[in-house]
Amino acid sequence: MRPQTVFPWECRDREDQARNTYNSPLRRANQSLEEENMRLKRILRENGISWSPIALNHLKQLDPKARKTRSSLTSLDLGHPYLPMEVILRILKFAMKSSEPIIDPLSPLTSENLTDKEKTRGNQIAIHFLATCKALNVEGTRYLWESNEFTFTTPQAVQHFAALPSQFRQTITHSNFRIIARYYDDTRHRRHKLDKCYHSDLKKDQTLKVHHRPTETPLIRGGFRCYTWNQIVDFLEGLRAPYDPKIKIQPRPRLLPSLATLRLDLVNFSDTLLPFSGSELHDITSHELGCTLNELHVTGMPFDDTGMKASAELSGMLKDEGLYLDGPASYIAQSRHLHALSGKRWCARVIRAWNGKDVDEEDSDDEDTPRGHSAHSHAKLGALPPAPQEEGHPPSLRDDETVIWKRVPVSRDATDREWIQFSRFSGYEMTNMDWDSDEEGICPCCGESHPV
């Protein structure tokens, strides 16, 4: 007899919150001690007192009266070859560029949020290059934050990123959030399964990773619970404007003011267990961060009613004519690490793609309607400007007013893109050029018919 399925309820785990609160004061204390240590070192340096062998050698080099030995001479003094500054900067730019996204910058790594390959990756950049001199530190720091992509695996890592000065954060246009669903249960003998429909690579149902919690008093709600949609909210709340005491009148810029493309890798979001998302997700996506992105890439979204509702909420973050990409799950969370899953083509659609030119003649000829609020104005689709149009697309056999062109990645993890035309009426891809405008075709996303 198959055991009865138990459905979780959405919550934030008290144990995880307590651990985060415990670690936060330690971070502030370390920062205070580091600042005090730097002040003491500056006092010692100003008085010519060394505190380590490295500092002693540095002070000897700064003293013009000190006797020069062979070890204290520079490369120029010894007649060694000298590299031009242009060559040094090219080497520095190469040293600061990582071939893979940097995971959880400015935060400690969580091993269970990484794949086996990521755990054994080693150093991705030559970070010690920044310690050679002040000039290379300034240039290298700028290269580091401008030329790399970053992946965040916890909401706390997003919040800690606010410690980075704003001049470096404002140049970041793309980010990746790896959101791993967490499940909790206070009944140890109960086992939960992740259905094999989660991904085509799975041949059978997988044991769901569940964190066991002690049984509380009857007044405290326990049982099987999950941290999924609220976790997305906590990730997105990290994009709020960090506090800056210098800015008091105008609104403070968000954590990543220039963010145009966001990828959400949802891990272990079950198609059969999750409850519906609450009002918090709607508030953060449609109001606080509404109409801010040009593209939103989502993998691992459940393909059921709860997933459809969450997708509709997340699409509120896109500008008019923004591109929403939905793909299969990238990872599955196992007991000690993540396991990467194969990727296929994206399912793409354009959000709010209509151009407002198919309204009734009676409405368009209404003299009482102000010209600035006319539906015929393409610039007045919404309260904010639409996503920028992409130039250089091929000609279409259809009416230009009924289609919109977008460059879509050829596969889930590829960087190469191809031109695809979408219907302005439905927002879905137009694959069959023989369709008439009043007929229906099969949607590549859900397999259903949508008018094009």
Side-chain angles (χ1 to χ4, degrees), residues 1 5 17 35 55 83 85 103 121 123 132 153-154 172 191 193 207 301 335 363 368 393 398-399 416 425 439:
M1 180 177 178
T5 302
Q17 290 179 316
E35 294 175 354
L83 291 176
M85 183 55 65
I103 300 176
R121 183 175 292 167
N123 294 332
T132 54
T153 65
T154 63
I172 298 176
R191 295 292 181 265
K193 295 291 185 179
T207 300
M301 177 64 73
S335 58
D363 297 336
D368 296 335
H393 59 79
R398 294 175 176 270
D399 185 2
D416 297 335
F425 300 103
E439 293 182 353

Side-chain angles (χ1 to χ4, degrees), residues 379-398:
K380 297 297 183 180
L381 276 175
L384 297 175
Q389 295 183 0
E390 302 187 51
E391 303 295 338
H393 59 79
S396 175
L397 300 179
R398 294 175 176 270

Side-chain angles (χ1 to χ4, degrees), residues 352-368:
R352 297 184 295 277
W354 62 85
N355 56 12
K357 293 191 176 183
D358 54 346
V359 295
D360 295 336
E361 293 293 330
E362 298 178 359
D363 297 336
S364 61
D365 295 334
D366 190 356
E367 298 179 356
D368 296 335

Side-chain angles (χ1 to χ4, degrees), residues 266-285:
L266 307 184
V267 183
N268 279 28
F269 276 64
S270 172
D271 290 79
T272 57
L273 297 177
L274 299 186
F276 284 95
S277 58
S279 60
E280 290 184 69
L281 183 62
H282 173 78
D283 292 340
I284 191 72
T285 56

